[in-house]
Amino acid sequence: MQLGMIGLGRMGGNIVRRLMRAGHSCVVFDRDPKAVAALSSEGATGAASLEEFVGKLDGPRHAWVMLPAGKITEATIDQLTKLMQPDDVVIDGGNSFWQDDVRRGKALNERGLHYVDVGTSGGVWGLDRGYCMMIGGDKAVVDRLDPIFASLAPGRGDIPPTPGRNQRDIRVEQGYIHAGPVGAGHFVKMIHNGIEYGLMQAYAEGFDILRNANSHALPAEHRFDFDLADVAEVWRRGSVIPSWLLDLTAIALARQPGLETYSGFVEDSGEGRWTVNAAIDEAVPAEVLTAALFARFRSRQDHTFAEKILSAMREGFGGHKEPEQHPDSAHQSAPEIVKPKVDRA
């Protein structure tokens, strides 16, 4: 199957590579010609402009946009759709706000185009591990794209089936789900990332307590000098708290026990805020997720070892680097993640 990819960064480029490994053909475009050239040398069809990109796609076209949420995604989709024809499909695989998806879906539908939102998890490891995908869109369109999703998904692997799932959608066991209509995919991914904040914060605080168990503020007989790398490693094996996040923590601590190269300045990319906003709208208590979000705000004023753990995990799964220049205040909002006003009339 043919797919066009716009945005060849940490995830977009590897999505293309995984699809080509599975025998799909890909047309690629990025503002950086070097990124296009790199994938062209591996077998993709490169394009130097959006116009050329659309021209190299066979109809009905399937174009995946993998860009940071906000103005750049909005502008790219707007420009792209002006070049496309009825029955073409636009896929947003970034971390867009789900209400933006609903709005875009309606606008594209009026022009005879289809819109699919794909919450994509897998980070820089997805090329080999596969991508967990949460998909929103019309059933017929999602089914049309199933060969793409099936190739990107991680598959069942060695995870045993869950008892009682005999009559349920088998695609879920492969690592992807049609969550509902347009917007549903990114809503589920938003909550996924909100939960991720809480899990990361729990690990970070736990290791910070372990590290400070040797504090001189404690009586000598109550002090312990733990090897954090060994603690992380033993927890990976047979305990009740293993996870990929713990795996990444163990890797980071084994390489650098004191995490000296991390400052502890922790960004938030939007989904945590949107999760808390959704909880407020629904009157659902979300104490842990809210506290985890606020801890990231605090990290920009006062850095602890816990925040170094968070930074190490973020770099491990997503290649997220700490900024070279830190904002002066935790009250500075990250760009393009302010929740829009909702018309409830």
Side-chain angles (χ1 to χ4, degrees):
M1 189 172 182
Q2 187 192 56
L3 180 79
M5 177 65 71
I6 301 172
L8 307 177
R10 288 190 298 259
M11 291 184 67
N14 280 344
I15 286 175
V16 169
R17 292 183 176 95
R18 187 171 175 89
L19 287 175
M20 291 194 298
R21 284 182 181 179
H24 299 281
S25 62
C26 295
V27 178
V28 299
F29 171 71
D30 192 281
R31 292 186 298 179
D32 181 1
K34 293 180 180 178
V36 175
L39 279 165
S40 296
S41 70
E42 297 177 38
T45 300
S49 67
L50 275 180
E51 290 79 7
E52 184 181 350
F53 170 83
V54 172
K56 290 184 175 182
L57 290 172
D58 302 326
R61 301 170 183 84
H62 308 105
W64 185 307
V65 179
M66 200 67 178
L67 296 169
K71 290 181 180 178
I72 186 172
T73 292
E74 193 74 35
T76 301
I77 290 177
D78 182 61
Q79 185 179 354
L80 175 65
T81 54
K82 291 176 181 177
L83 301 170
M84 299 182 83
Q85 301 296 322
D87 204 33
D88 290 349
V89 182
V90 175
I91 306 161
D92 181 1
N95 284 324
S96 290
F97 183 47
W98 64 272
Q99 290 183 13
D100 290 337
D101 294 317
V102 173
R103 171 178 52 78
R104 290 186 198 128
K106 289 180 179 178
L108 268 63
N109 183 64
E110 292 173 357
R111 300 171 56 183
L113 302 172
H114 306 292
Y115 184 88
V116 175
D117 56 291
V118 182
T120 311
S121 181
V124 296
W125 298 66
L127 175 60
D128 296 316
R129 290 171 58 106
Y131 299 90
C132 175
M133 291 165 290
M134 297 136 269
I135 306 162
D138 294 339
K139 182 180 185 303
V141 180
V142 174
D143 288 348
R144 184 203 299 183
L145 293 165
D146 191 73
I148 295 294
F149 300 137
S151 295
L152 291 175
R156 292 183 64 171
D158 57 1
I159 300 175
T162 300
R165 287 198 53 87
N166 296 341
Q167 305 303 317
R168 292 181 175 272
D169 188 349
I170 194 171
R171 293 175 298 182
V172 174
E173 296 179 11
Q174 301 298 319
Y176 65 110
I177 181 174
H178 182 199
V182 170
H186 277 145
F187 191 99
V188 175
K189 178 59 161 54
M190 173 184 74
I191 303 304
H192 166 282
N193 283 27
I195 293 171
E196 177 186 290
Y197 279 37
L199 292 173
M200 292 173 68
Q201 188 65 27
Y203 282 126
E205 292 177 7
F207 279 103
D208 203 3
I209 295 169
L210 288 170
R211 180 175 181 269
N212 284 284
N214 199 30
S215 169
H216 290 290
L218 299 171
E221 64 271 22
H222 292 171
R223 297 176 198 165
F224 300 100
D225 186 12
F226 294 114
D227 186 317
L228 300 190
D230 283 355
V231 172
E233 188 65 27
V234 76
W235 281 351
R236 295 180 62 222
R237 305 173 186 281
S239 81
V240 298
I241 59 167
S243 73
W244 185 28
L245 292 172
L246 181 59
D247 295 345
L248 296 172
T249 302
I251 291 170
L253 288 170
R255 290 175 177 170
Q256 191 179 123
L259 303 181
E260 291 84 2
T261 61
Y262 298 94
S263 71
F265 181 98
V266 186
E267 296 273 17
D268 69 287
S269 56
E271 297 89 343
R273 300 190 189 200
W274 299 335
T275 297
V276 172
N277 284 330
I280 292 170
D281 289 343
E282 299 166 12
V284 172
E287 298 95 334
V288 171
L289 307 190
T290 302
L293 174 63
F294 286 175
R296 295 194 177 198
F297 296 164
R298 183 199 46 73
S299 79
R300 298 163 206 172
Q301 294 178 331
D302 178 31
H303 317 313
T304 68
F305 187 76
E307 274 77 56
K308 292 186 177 185
I309 292 282
L310 291 179
S311 289
M313 281 189 274
R314 294 184 81 243
E315 182 181 31
F317 66 72
H320 302 291
K321 301 292 185 182
E322 294 178 347
E324 293 182 3
Q325 293 183 349
H326 301 164
D328 293 330
S329 170
H331 299 292
Q332 282 191 282
S333 297
E336 305 303 330
I337 58 174
V338 178
K339 181 182 176 185
K341 183 177 181 181
V342 180
D343 183 0
R344 300 188 181 281

